[in-house]
Every structure is written in C-alpha cells, then in structure tokens.
C-alpha cells in the first residue's frame, strides 16, 4: 500500500503544465490504471494467502470436497501451487494435497497418482487462477471476435497469459456449463427437476430460430503421408436458438434482473433442442404463466414439435402461436413482385395486403391472391402459387392471428431471436473461412448466449458452486 501511495502520488503531481495535452494525460491515466491493477492483484494475493493459513478454512474446504474423493483417496502431505491474480500477480501457496492411489500395471512402471488440493478445488482455482480471473478469461474468450482479440483485451486488464491457455480455459469453463445443462436435462428425464415460480402470472414470449455455421467433419480413410493428418470438409450446420423473455402490459420487454432473459442454443438437431427448451420451461415454471406466445418463422420442425410440447407442459389457456409477421410480409412482397409489372402497382398492393394480414383478414387476402393465380402461367404461376401456399399453410395452422395478438399487446415479430442469432452466431461463428469442431462450437454458442442475456455473473456462480461437493449421505 505504501509502494502504491508513493507511485500514485508522483503521478498526481502537476508539473510542466505547458507540456500537458491529451497524449500526456492519457499516459498518466494508463500508468494509474496499471499500478491500481497491480495493487488489486497484490491485495487479492494477500487475502488468498491469509485464507490458506486458516486451519478452520482448510478443514472446511476438505469437508466440502469429500464428494470428489474415491475409496482409495488419501492425504498426501502438502504441495506448492502458484495462483495468478489480476495485475499478473502470482502468489505461491503451500496447501494440503490428497491423491488417489492406483495399482501398478507393471513392475518397473511408476505408479500414477491423480490428486488435487481441496482448498483450490473448493474455491474453483484448480487451474491456477482466481475465480474472477478465470471467469474474465472465459468471458472475453467467448465474446471477443477471436481468441487473439481476447488476449489483447486481457493484457490491457493485467492478465497476460498465452493464446493457447486462453483457448483451453475458455473451452474448460464452457464445458462445465454444458455439463450442468446436461445434468438438468437428466433430472428432467428422471422427473426430479425442481420448478421455480419465476414466470408466475407473467406474459411470456418464446422465440425460436436457426442460424448457420460451418462444422468440421473429418474425412474417412488413411492419414496423409506428408502431414500425418486426416482431411476434413466443412458442412453448413444449423444451430437452433431460443430466447425466453417476459413483456409488461404495454408489450415492452422486461430487462431488469428480477426476471432474467433466458438464451441458449445447440447444434444437436431439433431433438436435442427440444430437450433444452423443455428443461428451461419446466425450470422457469411455464405452467404458472399468465399468457404465452410462441413466435417463429415458417420452419416445419418448429410448428410440428413445439406446440405439442407446450400442451404437454400445461401452458395457460391464453397460449398463442404466431408466424413472425415480417416473414409473412416478405412472402407477400415476393408475391407482389411476381404479380405486377410496375413498382407502383407492387407497392400499392403490398401495402394493402400487409394491412389486411395485420387486421386478421387473411382469408380475404388469400382469395385476392387466388384471383392473380387464376390468370397466371409459366414461371410466374409457380412463384404466385408458392407464396400463396406459404400463407395458406400458416393460416391452416392458425398462425396468422395478428389482430388478436396485437390487441393483447404482445409482439408480432421474432426480432429478439434474430438479434440473438446475429450477436451469438454471425459475429463470431459464421464465415466461409471458419471451420468449427462441433463440441467447441456448442461451448462458444452456450457462453455467448449467457453473455447476451446479461446473466454471466449468475452463470459463473453456478460453475463455481459446482466444485462444492460434500460427502453425500
């Protein structure tokens, strides 16, 4: 503290005022931040050291991690461990160590010991980083445009580690989150997933859509002689994403922390997606909601599988299903482009058709579309029939109740999930030159969804709480 005071006092001195400008001030500002980060790291290191000297806390850590012990686990003295804090400060701790002894397979082979420090496991620091540093690394590793960009940002904030380590820790942190999600799905299958009352008496919107990512698929056959590698192809796979949020009586999205927004997605196809969606809806207590709106585009799998799921979960009587109005309107525009030869005629018909659709006059609209089809032929006829049939299919599924939904002041568009796809998938994961391993893509998708939902702190807490594993009864 004295060292910090000495340094910062010099930086606060106003000398050579004639030379001051924006550049000089920025340099001072930069140095103040650097020494402040070092001070924060040193304070954290001191706190950590003092905690490691408390026998009561060491005993508590050992007790709260008994669930990680195997039948052959034994105490194995103490070991030194280096822990990195903010400001790139490292602290050396001497901590109790436990080890699982394994039988030797061969006489001359050394026995392998798999062990851990209960103190570090309990605090979530087995990777040699404080919880705040680990969470920050994973956050920037996920939300930055690349791991290189993440490293640049982390260095600015006093965390200077290698690119490979940032990548490994991001995937490590995200994999724990995926495992926690899988454990909830398993609890749902066993019928013991607890239900909260977060959505009780709330007006809930469920929006669903898909994106595009190139997934790396290894080629079959032998490895190449020169490179000793198996070739791969990049296949475009659709990640399916969901967002669940609540609107007030005026139809505005509620963004306070009391009712969190739920975002997530998967590359595991529609069956895996349905499991995730069901888990979240049960967990949030969808059956207690006041009103529910399912809104999406015209993808077949959505309207075949999700409405029966909502019925199974006993959603309230006021449950609406709606085709995104702007998707429907784009098909009306395509119909107008094919039906008319002049731009003025197209726009007049489109504006009128759009108003009719919004007022709930879909049947009259389709009759009008049929009149144009009657007098068409060739390629123009195919386009008109295709666009009319898109509206007709949605009408038969009762997805065009825009007037009723608007009266209830619920959203008519799926912009929330489309924005989610842009921020989660398009800005990081989509690109002709980007090829992802599916497991890694799943992790980054999951992490970015938590960040967009502004639930990163709660997400991190759930991960660090997962390290606490007392002996079960």
């Amino acid at each position: 503290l004295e060292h910090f005071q000495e340094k910062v006092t010099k930086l606060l001195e106003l000398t050579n005022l004639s030379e001051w400008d924006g550049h000089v001030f920025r340099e001072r500002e930069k140095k103040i931040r650097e020494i402040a980060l070092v001070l924060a790291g040193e304070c954290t290191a001191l706190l950590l050291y003092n905690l490691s000297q408390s026998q009561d806390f060491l005993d508590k850590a050992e007790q709260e991690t008994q669930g990680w012990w195997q039948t052959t686990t034994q105490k194995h003295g103490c070991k030194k461990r280096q822990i990195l804090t903010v400001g790139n400060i490292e602290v050396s701790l001497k901590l109790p160590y436990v080890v699982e002894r394994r039988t030797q397979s061969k006489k001359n082979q050394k026995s392998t010991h798999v062990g851990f420090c209960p103190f570090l496991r309990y605090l979530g620091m087995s990777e040699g980083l404080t919880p705040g540093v680990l969470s920050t690394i994973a956050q920037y590793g996920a939300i930055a445009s690349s791991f290189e960009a993440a490293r640049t940002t982390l260095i600015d904030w006093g965390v200077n580690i290698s690119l490979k380590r940032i990548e490994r820790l991001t995937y490590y942190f995200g994999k724990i989150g995926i495992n926690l999600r899988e454990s909830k799905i398993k609890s749902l299958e066993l019928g013991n997933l607890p239900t909260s009352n977060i959505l009780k008496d709330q007006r809930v919107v469920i929006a669903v859509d898909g994106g595009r990512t190139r997934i790396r698929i290894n080629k079959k056959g032998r490895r190449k002689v020169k490179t000793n590698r198996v070739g791969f192809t990049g296949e475009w796979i659709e990640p399916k994403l969901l967002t669940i949020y609540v609107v007030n009586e005026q139809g505005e999205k509620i963004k306070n922390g009391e009712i969190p927004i739920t975002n997530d997605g998967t590359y595991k196809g529609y069956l895996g997606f349905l499991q995730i969606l069901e888990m979240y809806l049960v967990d949030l207590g969808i059956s207690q909601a006041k009103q529910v709106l399912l809104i999406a585009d015209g993808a077949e799998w959505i309207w075949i599988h999700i409405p029966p799921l909502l019925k199974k979960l006993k959603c309230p009587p006021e449950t609406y299903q709606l085709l995104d109005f702007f998707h429907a309107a784009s098909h009306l525009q395509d119909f107008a482009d094919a039906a008319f030869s002049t731009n003025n005629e197209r726009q007049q018909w489109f504006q009128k058709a759009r108003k009719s659709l919004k007022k709930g006059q879909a049947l009259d609209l389709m009759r009008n579309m049929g009149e144009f089809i009657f007098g068409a032929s060739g390629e123009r006829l195919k386009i008109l029939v295709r666009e009319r049939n898109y509206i007709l299919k949605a009408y038969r599924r009762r997805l065009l109740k825009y007037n009723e939904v608007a009266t209830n002041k619920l959203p008519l568009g799926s912009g929330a999930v489309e924005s989610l796809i842009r921020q989660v998938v398009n800005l990081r994961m989509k690109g002709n030159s980007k090829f992802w391993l599916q497991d890694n893509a799943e992790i980054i998708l999951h992490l970015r969804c938590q960040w967009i939902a502004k639930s990163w702190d709660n997400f991190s807490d759930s991960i660090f709480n997962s390290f606490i594993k007392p002996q079960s009864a």
Side-chain angles (χ1 to χ4, degrees):
L1 289 172
E2 290 175 358
H3 182 64
F4 170 78
Q5 185 177 10
E6 181 184 344
K7 277 196 166 188
V8 80
T9 301
K10 289 181 180 179
L11 291 171
L12 294 175
E13 292 177 357
L14 297 177
T15 56
N16 300 324
L17 290 178
S18 60
E19 298 178 3
W20 276 67
D21 56 17
H23 170 71
V24 172
F25 191 89
R26 179 177 173 275
E27 288 301 313
R28 290 279 183 108
E29 186 180 16
K30 186 178 178 181
K31 288 177 181 178
I32 290 171
R33 189 183 72 165
E34 286 175 356
I35 64 172
L37 285 171
V38 169
L39 176 64
E42 289 173 341
C43 290
T44 304
L46 181 61
L47 177 64
L48 199 55
Y49 176 79
N50 290 340
L51 202 59
S52 71
Q53 298 302 301
S54 168
Q55 188 59 47
D56 289 343
F57 189 81
L58 292 174
D59 293 340
K60 177 181 173 62
E62 183 179 319
Q63 181 183 355
E64 293 293 333
T65 55
Q66 285 287 325
W68 296 103
W69 291 40
Q70 305 298 323
T71 53
T72 57
T73 301
Q74 299 176 2
K75 294 183 179 180
H76 197 68
C78 293
K79 284 202 173 188
K80 282 189 177 181
R81 288 288 182 264
Q82 297 287 331
I83 306 299
L84 181 70
T85 73
V86 72
N88 231 44
I89 301 298
E90 277 194 331
V91 57
S92 181
L93 304 175
K94 191 174 182 181
L95 299 167
Y97 189 76
V98 299
V99 67
E100 179 188 349
R101 297 187 181 276
R102 293 183 178 176
T103 56
Q104 296 176 209
S105 57
K106 294 181 182 179
K107 287 185 178 180
N108 296 329
Q109 184 179 345
K110 291 183 179 180
S111 60
T112 56
H113 299 305
V114 179
F116 62 90
C117 294
F119 178 88
L120 298 181
R121 178 68 62 87
Y122 178 57
L123 293 177
M125 294 192 294
S126 297
E127 292 293 323
L129 305 160
T130 59
V133 172
L134 176 57
S135 176
T136 302
I137 290 170
Q139 182 179 1
Y140 284 111
I143 69 176
S145 58
S146 64
F147 288 117
E148 290 86 353
R151 186 168 188 266
T152 301
T153 304
L154 288 167
I155 289 173
D156 287 342
W157 287 102
V159 179
N160 190 357
I161 61 175
S162 70
L163 186 66
K164 284 288 184 182
R165 195 178 182 192
I166 292 171
E167 185 176 345
R168 183 181 65 79
L169 290 171
T170 301
Y171 289 137
Y172 163 77
F173 196 79
K175 182 61 178 175
I176 298 172
I178 294 288
N179 290 340
L180 291 175
R181 187 179 73 181
E182 292 299 318
S183 67
K184 281 190 173 184
I185 292 173
K186 190 67 177 177
S187 297
L188 175 67
E189 292 173 352
L190 296 173
N192 53 18
L193 180 68
T195 299
S196 68
N197 60 354
I198 292 174
L199 299 181
K200 186 176 181 180
D201 298 328
Q202 300 295 338
R203 289 152 44 86
V204 184
V205 179
I206 306 166
V208 177
D209 205 348
R212 292 186 80 203
T213 309
R214 295 191 85 174
I215 298 298
R216 178 173 170 160
I217 309 295
N218 288 336
K219 291 181 179 178
K220 295 180 181 179
R222 297 180 180 180
R223 293 177 179 269
K224 294 180 181 179
V225 177
K226 288 185 178 180
T227 61
N228 194 32
R229 293 180 179 178
V230 179
F232 67 90
T233 58
E235 294 186 11
W236 286 104
I237 303 292
E238 181 189 49
K240 294 171 171 56
L241 283 81
L242 65 90
T243 181
I244 304 169
Y245 61 96
V246 171
V247 296
N248 58 24
E249 294 300 324
Q250 287 73 43
E252 300 167 343
K253 183 190 284 190
I254 296 177
K255 297 180 180 180
N256 59 39
E258 297 177 6
I259 306 174
I261 296 170
T262 300
N263 296 334
D264 212 343
T266 185
Y267 287 87
K268 295 181 179 178
Y270 75 88
L271 291 176
F273 176 85
L274 290 172
Q275 285 184 317
I276 294 170
L277 176 60
E278 182 177 1
M279 179 271 290
Y280 281 121
L281 292 178
V282 172
D283 185 39
L284 294 169
I286 193 66
S287 61
Q288 304 172 58
K290 179 182 177 182
Q291 292 175 320
V292 174
L293 170 65
L294 169 64
I295 188 164
D297 61 16
E300 284 290 309
W301 68 271
I302 295 175
W303 302 112
I304 291 174
H305 298 286
I306 298 182
L309 174 62
L310 298 181
K311 188 175 181 181
K312 170 189 169 185
L313 298 179
K314 298 179 180 178
C315 285
E318 284 191 76
T319 297
Y320 304 97
Q321 298 162 23
L322 198 67
L323 175 69
D324 172 53
F325 178 74
F326 303 99
H327 275 85
S330 70
H331 284 268
L332 292 180
Q333 182 67 69
D334 292 341
F335 185 93
D337 291 343
F340 298 96
S341 57
T342 66
N343 190 54
N344 189 37
E345 288 178 317
R346 288 169 184 160
Q347 287 305 310
Q348 284 183 358
W349 185 89
F350 171 68
Q351 293 298 334
K352 185 178 179 182
R354 195 173 183 270
K355 287 179 182 178
S356 297
L357 189 65
K358 206 168 190 177
K359 290 178 180 178
Q361 300 168 356
L363 197 57
D364 293 338
L365 174 60
M366 284 185 290
R367 288 191 185 118
N368 180 240
M369 295 170 83
E371 293 173 4
F372 289 97
I373 292 172
F374 183 74
S377 61
E379 188 63 30
R380 180 166 166 265
L381 175 62
K382 289 181 182 179
I383 296 172
L384 294 177
V385 170
R386 183 188 69 202
E387 303 306 331
R388 192 278 311 271
N389 287 348
Y390 182 89
I391 301 297
L392 178 60
K393 184 183 284 188
Y395 176 77
R396 286 173 175 169
R397 285 175 169 165
R398 300 182 179 181
L399 304 179
L400 304 179
K401 298 182 178 180
Y402 300 111
N403 187 41
E404 187 177 349
V405 172
T407 302
N408 282 280
K409 293 186 178 179
L410 290 168
L412 301 182
S414 58
V417 73
E418 290 179 14
S419 173
L420 179 67
I421 289 169
R422 180 182 176 276
Q423 295 179 77
V424 171
V425 180
N426 297 355
L427 294 181
R428 173 70 185 271
M429 309 179 72
K430 183 180 178 181
N432 288 327
S433 61
K434 295 182 179 181
F435 300 87
W436 292 83
L437 294 173
Q438 185 165 329
D439 289 345
N440 291 346
E442 187 85 7
I443 288 170
I444 296 297
L445 185 79
H446 185 60
L447 291 177
R448 287 177 71 85
C449 280
Q450 309 313 311
W451 173 64
I452 297 297
K454 294 182 172 58
S455 59
W456 187 266
D457 288 342
N458 291 334
F459 173 70
S460 295
D461 289 344
S462 69
I463 287 178
F464 290 113
N465 287 337
S466 71
F467 295 119
I468 302 172
K469 197 173 180 182
Q471 184 67 50
S472 57

